[in-house]
Each structure stands twice: as C-alpha cells, then as structure tokens.
Amino acid sequence: MARNTPKKDLESTLKSLDTEEFIDIHFYRPLGYRWALLFERMGISPNVVTVAGIFIGITAGICFYYPSLTINVIGMLLLIWANMYDSADGQLARMTGQKSPLGRILDGFCGDVWFFVIYVAICLRLMPVWGGWIWLIAIITGFFHGKQAAMADYYRNIHLLFLKGKAGSELSHSPVVKANFEKMTWKHDFIYKLFEMFYLRYTRGQEQWTPRFQEMMDVIRNDYHGEAPEWFRKAFRTKSLPLMKYTNMLSFNTRVIALFVSLLIDQPWLYFVFELTVLNVMLVYMVTKHERICTDFTHSLKNQQQ
C-alpha cells in the first residue's frame, strides 16, 4: 500500500493567494519552490537557507556603494537571488514542517539586515555631495520604512487570521508575547528572550497604530469567546482583500523596483524620497481605511449580540 505523503506542490507552500503579490506569485514563489525542492533533496534546513540569503543580501547592499552601473547591476541580481532564498526558506519550512523559534528570529532579521546595509552603502556613496545630512535623511527614512513594513505585516496576518484561522496566521497579541517573555530567563534563554523583548516592542507598536482593530478584537475575545463567527470572517475578507495590494507594495517588491530605478539613473537619493512620500501616503491610506473597516465591524458584532 502506498504511503500518504504531504502535499508538496507550489500552492501548498504559499501562505495564501489572497496575500501574495503578482511578482511573488509569478516569479519569486515558483523559483523559491524549485530551490526548496533542491534543498530538501540535499538535506539542507530552512535556517541554513535563511543565513545564506542574509549574506547574499549583505553582499548586494555593499555593491550599491560603488558608482559603477556594472557593480550596481551585480548587486541587483544578488538582491534578487537573496529574495529567492527568503522565499525558499519559508516554502521549505512549510514543505518539511521544519519550523522553529530560531527560524522565526532569522527570518525577521533577514530583511532588516539587507536594508540596513543598503542604507549605509547609499549614505557613504552620497556623502561627498550631501555631507552628513544624508545620514539624517536616511535615519528618518529608516524609521518610516520600519513602520511601513511592520503595518504591512500586521494587516497581512490579520487577513490570514480571519481567512485561515489561528493556525494560518502569525498575528501576535502583546499580552501573550509578554507572558512568553516573562517565562524565559536571561541565563538559559538569552537569545530567545532578547528576540522576544524586541518582538514585544514591535507588537505593541503595531497595536498602538490600530486602536479600532484592538477594540474589535476585544469584542471578539469577550463576546464571542475568541472565535469570530463565520458571517464576520467572510464579510471581513471581502473588505480586507482590496487592502492586500498595499501590504504588498509596502513590503519588498515595489520599494526594490524604486531602488533599482534610482541606481540605474545614478540618483540613489531618489529612493529615500520615494519611501518618504509615495510609500508613506500608502501607509496612511491603508491604516485609515482599515481602522474605518474595523469600526464598522465592531458595531456589527455588538449588534449581533443584542
């Protein structure tokens, strides 16, 4: 009798078609899937893939320091390669079930390291013309970059929560994160406790930006015993789905296209301008729209209980 084996087609390695971006579905995910199949045959773990992606991305960032189009293009290709690995590690983990707290830490660390190196490389490249001011611009841009990525991640996981349930989402609640943090000791769990400390701040920051969503979740936890009713889940998905394109634009592909264009025309400072203007407008619109949706659903949830 043939053994039942886990499904390992491309779609089974995706979180959700609702939350996947066009370039990811048609480029990064198919290529990441093929890398994941190769790594599985070679017995390579997702964490090793993530670490390899981190170093490839760092090398890419360093290439952007040089005012040479050839070296910049090499950096672009390396960054694309690194992002393939960033896709492959998650797909490999879902294919093999090799999920771990360390993997979660490394995956969150990956993109931050890439863009930190990219920012530093651009600042060093522009210093002869801009002087120290470019560092101030980079710091301000980096702050908003962090907010854009954090809120995009938050709204994506909110959507997945009501689409696939708790098992299909990585949405966190700060009291739960705090309780987990307090269970750990600095002596025996230093790395994980350190990560949880930063993750607690990260989660609280997301919650502070979403007061209407927090109010809605309080109603679900208190009046519905933590389980959103089916009518709500379907209706919420309908309202939330149009916003997923903004979560994708605020993640990787759109900002990297802007980065590549700025490098190709030898005006890398335009990348900072793009993040400060276009992406911040998207951020404000996304947060405002989502909060209005949550206000309406809070009223609907309360009315259903009356």
Side-chain angles (χ1 to χ4, degrees), residues 69 72 76 125 258-268 270:
L69 182 59
N72 288 173
M76 295 174 199
R125 174 174 173 167
L259 171 65
F260 289 178
V261 170
S262 72
L263 291 165
L264 288 171
I265 63 174
D266 195 23
Q267 300 293 332
L270 286 174

Side-chain angles (χ1 to χ4, degrees), residues 88-138:
D89 62 8
Q91 290 173 280
L92 180 61
R94 285 185 283 276
M95 285 168 54
T96 61
Q98 298 181 64
K99 298 179 181 179
S100 67
L102 179 59
R104 181 178 160 213
I105 293 171
L106 289 173
D107 195 50
F109 186 62
C110 187
D112 293 339
V113 172
W114 294 351
F115 280 99
F116 175 80
V117 174
I118 289 169
Y119 274 44
V120 170
I122 290 176
C123 287
L124 291 173
R125 174 174 173 167
L126 294 177
M127 270 195 72
V129 175
W130 289 71
W133 286 105
I134 193 62
W135 293 97
L136 178 60
I137 295 171

Side-chain angles (χ1 to χ4, degrees), residues 5 17 24 64 100 106 141 146 151 157 175 185 187 206 212 264-265 280 282 287:
T5 57
L17 290 176
D24 288 337
F64 301 146
S100 67
L106 289 173
T141 306
M151 297 314 300
N157 278 300
T185 65
K187 182 177 181 181
Q206 291 171 320
R212 302 287 78 81
L264 288 171
I265 63 174
N280 270 343
M282 288 185 189
V287 172

